[in-house]
Amino acid sequence: MHPGVERDAARMRGALARGDVTPREFRAAADRVPFTERDAWLDAILGIDEIPDDDPSLPRGCVPYLPCPVDTVLRATVLADVRADDVFVDVGSGLGRALVCAHLATGAEAIGLEVQPTLARAARRVAEELRLSRVATLEGDATELLGSVPTGTVFFLYSPFGGEHLRRALDELERIARVHP
């Protein structure tokens, strides 16, 4: 990572821990970072040094942890018109990169659903270190946890699973959408 980008990430991390960053300021800072360095910039802000190995008990049909690029998250929040009064639910949230990024860029409450205990614990640690009280990670099978987040208004899936897991998740999302269009 370029030294200037690294310094900017350290400043942003400090400002976030003090509660001194608005969504507009975070988004503007992200836009100033060269496209090729945004993922490393966010990882530095979140204190993510490396991606842990996947849990050997990862359920069949689930995809190993695959971090979502920062630009994909930012674009999704624009296309979905995510606002501060939304509840952004990241299905298969991993280390929490997407849910924290969405929260910081929009102010929306963010809830992650993650089946791998190590990743869920790491995501909770990130939110705690940055004092993000509107960011939470629930641990367990997302297809079972979706029913516990009926307040969700935006659901984000970045390739968390396929097959039967995906069908069950989409069925639950359809049920939620019928209650809260």
Side-chain angles (χ1 to χ4, degrees), residues 1-10 26 29-46 48 68-71 74 97 101:
M1 180 171 22
H2 184 273
V5 173
E6 193 171 344
R7 282 191 301 277
D8 184 57
F26 178 81
D31 288 344
R32 286 191 301 270
V33 176
F35 173 80
T36 57
E37 301 215 37
R38 285 187 188 142
D39 292 335
W41 174 78
L42 182 64
D43 286 347
I45 291 169
L46 302 183
I48 298 171
C68 182
V70 170
D71 286 319
L74 295 176
R97 291 173 85 243
C101 184

Side-chain angles (χ1 to χ4, degrees), residues 76-89 102-103 106-111 134-135 151-155 180-181:
T77 62
V78 169
L79 292 173
D81 193 24
V82 180
R83 299 169 188 261
D85 60 347
D86 278 310
V87 177
F88 181 93
V89 180
H103 166 72
T106 66
E109 179 179 352
I111 300 171
R134 297 189 70 211
V135 175
T151 58
T153 57
V154 177
F155 292 84
H180 301 286

Side-chain angles (χ1 to χ4, degrees), residues 97-116:
R97 291 173 85 243
L99 79 133
V100 170
C101 184
H103 166 72
L104 294 175
T106 66
E109 179 179 352
I111 300 171
L113 309 178
E114 178 52 52
V115 71
Q116 296 190 62

Side-chain angles (χ1 to χ4, degrees), residues 117-147:
T118 304
L119 298 179
R121 281 192 301 274
R124 286 192 290 269
R125 189 172 43 254
V126 165
E128 183 180 302
E129 287 173 2
L130 295 177
R131 299 181 184 162
L132 303 176
S133 62
R134 297 189 70 211
V135 175
T137 299
L138 306 177
E139 183 183 319
D141 186 328
T143 60
E144 297 170 10
L145 291 175
L146 277 168

Side-chain angles (χ1 to χ4, degrees), residues 6 21 29 62 98 136 146 155 171 179 181:
E6 193 171 344
V21 180
C62 293
L146 277 168
F155 292 84
D171 286 348
V179 174

